[in-house]
Amino acid sequence: MTLSIRPMTPDDVEAVREVVSAANDEADRKAGQEPSAPTAQQREQFFRGTRRFITEDAAGAWVAVDDDGVVGMAEAIRRGGFWGLSMLFVHPRAQSQGIGRQLLDRTLDYARGSDVRMIMTSEDPRALRRYALAGLQIHPAVKGVGMVDRTAIPVDLKGRTGSADDLDLVAAVDTALLGRSRAADAEFVLGNGATLEIVDDGAHRGFALHRDAHPNMLGATDEQTAAALLWRILEKTTDKTEIYCLTAAQDWAVRVCLAARLAVSGSGPLFISGMDHPAGPWLPSGWYF
Ligand SMILES: CC(C)(COP(=O)(O)OP(=O)(O)OC[C@H]1O[C@@H](n2cnc3c(N)ncnc32)[C@H](O)[C@@H]1OP(=O)(O)O)[C@@H](O)C(=O)NCCC(=O)NCCS
């Protein structure tokens, strides 16, 4: 069996989706959960997002191919001095044979010269091992999962639903909070089926994107504003919600989850290098951080 690692191309997107799906389904089964099939809309969102990685972050998008086709994929982003690993998946039929490590190494080439590196990970011990050995520091995290207790939602929540007209606010809040702006990524996510929530109240400003009942990026000037934005998302969910990757710096969000009577339990950690801890009034997007 021959194996090659090569740049991802637009022709790979369907095979890439199948690898991600098979790896996720297997991980669900191992965790004792029944895998759920994505909707047609979620598949389309995945394809659009993957094509964007290939055009915007070509040097971070890789596939592993054996005699039977694509068996692994990796995607990483660079935004100035920031590098983040967005996805790393190997098909269950080819796992634990060193393919994940080779793919990760290619994406780390794209990290050269970056100041800050970040990975929001699953609980897979193979992933944790390689991320720690790549020099990133672990930040243990929890998740909040379940149906929101609607009686707990604060009345008169601050804020409004936003639009592309609010991207200047996104850029300003992020630049002060993170030293980088996610506005271009937020614009893409917004155009790819997400909803934007805004608080713009004097010194208290912030934004949050959400899709399919979970946050997909949040940034605010302060924790109180961040909490109001998270409540706005929870208020709109009618289905089971999942809020991942809450480290000690997101204690404010853990408290919102607890108040909403979500089940808080261990989750895949966040790995970081180049900063001591993540920003506080911030929730990452899995793909764009
Ligand atoms: C995580 C994943 C990408 C790793 O890819 P892989 O090809 O299976 O892993 P590799 O064979 O490259 O092994 C990675 C490391 O884990 C070690 N390893 C292998 N099997 C292991 C096991 N069962 N437990 C612990 N470590 C193990 C390997 O020795 C290797 O470390 P080393 O290079 O220092 O020797 C892949 O297993 C996967 O797709 N998992 C499900 C999806 C997922 O969780 N992705 C991560 C999202 S952030």
Side-chain angles (χ1 to χ4, degrees):
M1 183 77 77
T2 56
L3 181 89
S4 64
I5 309 284
R6 62 156 174 80
M8 192 184 292
T9 73
D11 290 340
D12 294 321
V13 297
E14 179 59 54
V16 161
R17 198 200 65 79
E18 278 167 23
V19 166
V20 173
S21 211
N24 270 333
D25 289 358
E26 170 84 354
D28 283 349
R29 279 188 213 100
K30 275 192 191 158
Q33 289 159 16
E34 195 51 39
S36 59
T39 63
Q41 191 187 25
Q42 286 167 336
R43 283 168 59 108
E44 192 44 48
Q45 286 163 348
F46 181 90
F47 290 142
R48 276 195 225 123
T50 305
R51 282 189 218 107
R52 183 166 181 260
F53 280 117
I54 296 166
T55 51
E56 303 258 317
D57 292 282
W62 296 90
V63 285
V65 183
D66 71 7
D67 297 346
D68 297 324
V70 174
V71 281
M73 62 79 68
E75 283 161 352
I77 61 161
R78 272 302 289 268
R79 300 291 180 266
F82 179 89
W83 173 93
L85 180 70
S86 307
M87 302 187 95
L88 176 67
F89 287 88
V90 174
H91 194 285
R93 76 175 164 83
Q95 288 177 1
S96 294
Q97 297 170 27
I99 297 175
R101 179 177 181 164
Q102 292 181 61
L103 284 163
L104 177 65
D105 287 349
R106 294 302 179 99
T107 67
L108 285 167
D109 290 342
Y110 192 37
R112 284 203 189 115
S114 59
D115 311 317
V116 173
R117 301 178 184 194
M118 203 175 275
I119 307 174
M120 199 176 147
T121 179
S122 67
E123 293 176 87
D124 193 312
R126 295 164 292 199
L128 268 68
R129 176 177 170 82
R130 287 316 320 164
Y131 302 156
L133 293 177
L136 286 84
Q137 291 86 45
I138 194 163
H139 293 255
V142 296
K143 61 181 183 278
V145 178
M147 295 293 292
V148 173
D149 175 357
R150 306 203 69 81
T151 65
I153 298 170
V155 284
D156 299 332
L157 272 176
K158 262 193 205 178
R160 59 175 168 79
T161 299
S163 72
D165 293 340
D166 295 301
L167 290 168
D168 286 349
L169 181 149
V170 172
V173 167
D174 264 2
T175 303
L177 180 69
L178 309 173
R180 67 186 168 100
S181 163
R182 291 174 289 176
D185 294 317
E187 183 174 22
F188 173 76
V189 175
L190 189 58
N192 202 15
T195 302
L196 180 64
E197 306 294 336
I198 294 288
V199 170
D200 190 3
D201 182 17
H204 304 281
R205 305 178 88 203
F207 71 94
L209 281 154
H210 57 106
R211 191 167 67 193
D212 299 333
H214 26 229
N216 197 311
M217 195 184 287
L218 180 150
T221 49
D222 57 285
E223 293 182 353
Q224 201 189 343
T225 304
L229 286 158
L230 184 53
W231 274 117
R232 287 187 64 84
I233 295 174
L234 295 182
E235 186 185 35
K236 295 200 172 151
T237 63
T238 51
D239 211 344
K240 185 176 142 189
T241 187
E242 299 178 334
I243 303 162
Y244 289 107
C245 209
L246 306 176
T247 71
Q250 282 74 46
D251 189 59
W252 60 270
V254 174
R255 294 190 180 281
V256 170
C257 290
L258 293 171
R261 302 206 73 86
L262 302 183
V264 172
S265 63
S267 159
L270 184 68
F271 280 87
I272 307 179
S273 71
M275 59 200 289
D276 292 340
H277 53 77
W282 166 84
L283 293 179
S285 136
W287 283 0
Y288 307 118
F289 303 88

